[in-house]
PDB file of all heavy atoms in Angstrom:
ATOM      1  N   ALA A  72       4.493   1.307  -9.858  1.00 95.00           N
ATOM      2  CA  ALA A  72       3.979   1.331  -8.506  1.00 95.00           C
ATOM      3  C   ALA A  72       3.795   2.693  -7.918  1.00 95.00           C
ATOM      4  O   ALA A  72       2.863   2.963  -7.188  1.00 95.00           O
ATOM      5  CB  ALA A  72       4.809   0.446  -7.604  1.00 95.00           C
ATOM      6  N   ILE A  73       4.678   3.524  -8.255  1.00 95.00           N
ATOM      7  CA  ILE A  73       4.747   4.911  -7.657  1.00 95.00           C
ATOM      8  C   ILE A  73       3.797   5.863  -8.345  1.00 95.00           C
ATOM      9  O   ILE A  73       3.107   6.629  -7.756  1.00 95.00           O
ATOM     10  CB  ILE A  73       6.165   5.487  -7.714  1.00 95.00           C
ATOM     11  CG1 ILE A  73       7.089   4.729  -6.821  1.00 95.00           C
ATOM     12  CG2 ILE A  73       6.230   6.961  -7.343  1.00 95.00           C
ATOM     13  CD1 ILE A  73       6.794   4.904  -5.340  1.00 95.00           C
ATOM     14  N   THR A  74       3.657   5.726  -9.663  1.00 96.00           N
ATOM     15  CA  THR A  74       2.941   6.725 -10.459  1.00 96.00           C
ATOM     16  C   THR A  74       1.580   6.351 -10.851  1.00 96.00           C
ATOM     17  O   THR A  74       0.857   7.094 -11.599  1.00 96.00           O
ATOM     18  CB  THR A  74       3.681   7.135 -11.762  1.00 96.00           C
ATOM     19  OG1 THR A  74       3.877   5.951 -12.545  1.00 96.00           O
ATOM     20  CG2 THR A  74       5.006   7.741 -11.337  1.00 96.00           C
ATOM     21  N   THR A  75       1.078   5.127 -10.491  1.00 94.00           N
ATOM     22  CA  THR A  75      -0.322   4.732 -10.791  1.00 94.00           C
ATOM     23  C   THR A  75      -1.044   4.445  -9.451  1.00 94.00           C
ATOM     24  O   THR A  75      -0.408   4.417  -8.381  1.00 94.00           O
ATOM     25  CB  THR A  75      -0.341   3.492 -11.680  1.00 94.00           C
ATOM     26  OG1 THR A  75       0.227   2.365 -10.887  1.00 94.00           O
ATOM     27  CG2 THR A  75       0.475   3.710 -12.952  1.00 94.00           C
ATOM     28  N   ARG A  76      -2.294   4.212  -9.584  1.00 92.00           N
ATOM     29  CA  ARG A  76      -3.098   3.870  -8.381  1.00 92.00           C
ATOM     30  C   ARG A  76      -3.132   2.341  -8.186  1.00 92.00           C
ATOM     31  O   ARG A  76      -3.852   1.864  -7.323  1.00 92.00           O
ATOM     32  CB  ARG A  76      -4.499   4.450  -8.489  1.00 92.00           C
ATOM     33  CG  ARG A  76      -4.456   5.940  -8.566  1.00 92.00           C
ATOM     34  CD  ARG A  76      -5.856   6.532  -8.573  1.00 92.00           C
ATOM     35  NE  ARG A  76      -5.811   7.932  -8.812  1.00 92.00           N
ATOM     36  CZ  ARG A  76      -5.743   8.852  -7.835  1.00 92.00           C
ATOM     37  NH1 ARG A  76      -5.620   8.463  -6.603  1.00 92.00           N
ATOM     38  NH2 ARG A  76      -5.683  10.089  -8.131  1.00 92.00           N
ATOM     39  N   GLU A  77      -2.279   1.597  -8.924  1.00 92.00           N
ATOM     40  CA  GLU A  77      -2.230   0.135  -8.754  1.00 92.00           C
ATOM     41  C   GLU A  77      -1.620  -0.203  -7.386  1.00 92.00           C
ATOM     42  O   GLU A  77      -0.787   0.560  -6.933  1.00 92.00           O
ATOM     43  CB  GLU A  77      -1.282  -0.475  -9.837  1.00 92.00           C
ATOM     44  CG  GLU A  77      -1.854  -0.367 -11.208  1.00 92.00           C
ATOM     45  CD  GLU A  77      -2.758  -1.481 -11.543  1.00 92.00           C
ATOM     46  OE1 GLU A  77      -2.667  -2.587 -10.885  1.00 92.00           O
ATOM     47  OE2 GLU A  77      -3.583  -1.302 -12.430  1.00 92.00           O
ATOM     48  N   THR A  78      -1.959  -1.281  -6.829  1.00 92.00           N
ATOM     49  CA  THR A  78      -1.380  -1.746  -5.538  1.00 92.00           C
ATOM     50  C   THR A  78      -0.068  -2.323  -5.832  1.00 92.00           C
ATOM     51  O   THR A  78       0.194  -2.813  -6.904  1.00 92.00           O
ATOM     52  CB  THR A  78      -2.291  -2.759  -4.854  1.00 92.00           C
ATOM     53  OG1 THR A  78      -2.368  -3.982  -5.667  1.00 92.00           O
ATOM     54  CG2 THR A  78      -3.664  -2.263  -4.650  1.00 92.00           C
ATOM     55  N   VAL A  79       0.806  -2.299  -4.801  1.00 92.00           N
ATOM     56  CA  VAL A  79       2.155  -2.826  -4.918  1.00 92.00           C
ATOM     57  C   VAL A  79       2.096  -4.310  -5.296  1.00 92.00           C
ATOM     58  O   VAL A  79       2.849  -4.751  -6.188  1.00 92.00           O
ATOM     59  CB  VAL A  79       2.961  -2.575  -3.657  1.00 92.00           C
ATOM     60  CG1 VAL A  79       4.270  -3.373  -3.667  1.00 92.00           C
ATOM     61  CG2 VAL A  79       3.238  -1.065  -3.533  1.00 92.00           C
ATOM     62  N   PRO A  80       1.256  -5.156  -4.612  1.00 92.00           N
ATOM     63  CA  PRO A  80       1.277  -6.518  -5.040  1.00 92.00           C
ATOM     64  C   PRO A  80       0.846  -6.813  -6.407  1.00 92.00           C
ATOM     65  O   PRO A  80       1.413  -7.698  -7.156  1.00 92.00           O
ATOM     66  CB  PRO A  80       0.213  -7.193  -4.079  1.00 92.00           C
ATOM     67  CG  PRO A  80       0.233  -6.283  -2.880  1.00 92.00           C
ATOM     68  CD  PRO A  80       0.493  -4.934  -3.451  1.00 92.00           C
ATOM     69  N   SER A  81      -0.175  -6.124  -6.971  1.00 93.00           N
ATOM     70  CA  SER A  81      -0.542  -6.261  -8.363  1.00 93.00           C
ATOM     71  C   SER A  81       0.596  -5.913  -9.363  1.00 93.00           C
ATOM     72  O   SER A  81       0.711  -6.639 -10.318  1.00 93.00           O
ATOM     73  CB  SER A  81      -1.874  -5.539  -8.657  1.00 93.00           C
ATOM     74  OG  SER A  81      -1.710  -4.221  -8.720  1.00 93.00           O
ATOM     75  N   VAL A  82       1.281  -4.894  -9.076  1.00 93.00           N
ATOM     76  CA  VAL A  82       2.375  -4.536  -9.936  1.00 93.00           C
ATOM     77  C   VAL A  82       3.464  -5.625  -9.909  1.00 93.00           C
ATOM     78  O   VAL A  82       4.010  -6.033 -10.869  1.00 93.00           O
ATOM     79  CB  VAL A  82       3.000  -3.143  -9.558  1.00 93.00           C
ATOM     80  CG1 VAL A  82       4.259  -2.867 -10.356  1.00 93.00           C
ATOM     81  CG2 VAL A  82       1.951  -2.034  -9.801  1.00 93.00           C
ATOM     82  N   ALA A  83       3.751  -6.024  -8.641  1.00 93.00           N
ATOM     83  CA  ALA A  83       4.847  -7.062  -8.474  1.00 93.00           C
ATOM     84  C   ALA A  83       4.475  -8.398  -9.201  1.00 93.00           C
ATOM     85  O   ALA A  83       5.285  -9.000  -9.862  1.00 93.00           O
ATOM     86  CB  ALA A  83       5.042  -7.326  -6.973  1.00 93.00           C
ATOM     87  N   TYR A  84       3.190  -8.768  -9.063  1.00 92.00           N
ATOM     88  CA  TYR A  84       2.752 -10.098  -9.607  1.00 92.00           C
ATOM     89  C   TYR A  84       2.843 -10.011 -11.157  1.00 92.00           C
ATOM     90  O   TYR A  84       3.085 -11.079 -11.799  1.00 92.00           O
ATOM     91  CB  TYR A  84       1.356 -10.438  -9.136  1.00 92.00           C
ATOM     92  CG  TYR A  84       1.344 -10.850  -7.711  1.00 92.00           C
ATOM     93  CD1 TYR A  84       0.281 -10.446  -6.923  1.00 92.00           C
ATOM     94  CD2 TYR A  84       2.319 -11.559  -7.118  1.00 92.00           C
ATOM     95  CE1 TYR A  84       0.259 -10.746  -5.565  1.00 92.00           C
ATOM     96  CE2 TYR A  84       2.271 -11.918  -5.829  1.00 92.00           C
ATOM     97  CZ  TYR A  84       1.257 -11.459  -4.995  1.00 92.00           C
ATOM     98  OH  TYR A  84       1.222 -11.828  -3.652  1.00 92.00           O
TER      99      TYR A  84
END
Side-chain angles (χ1 to χ4, degrees):
I73 294 292
T74 61
T75 67
R76 296 183 188 272
E77 291 277 338
T78 64
V79 169
S81 69
V82 172
Y84 291 139

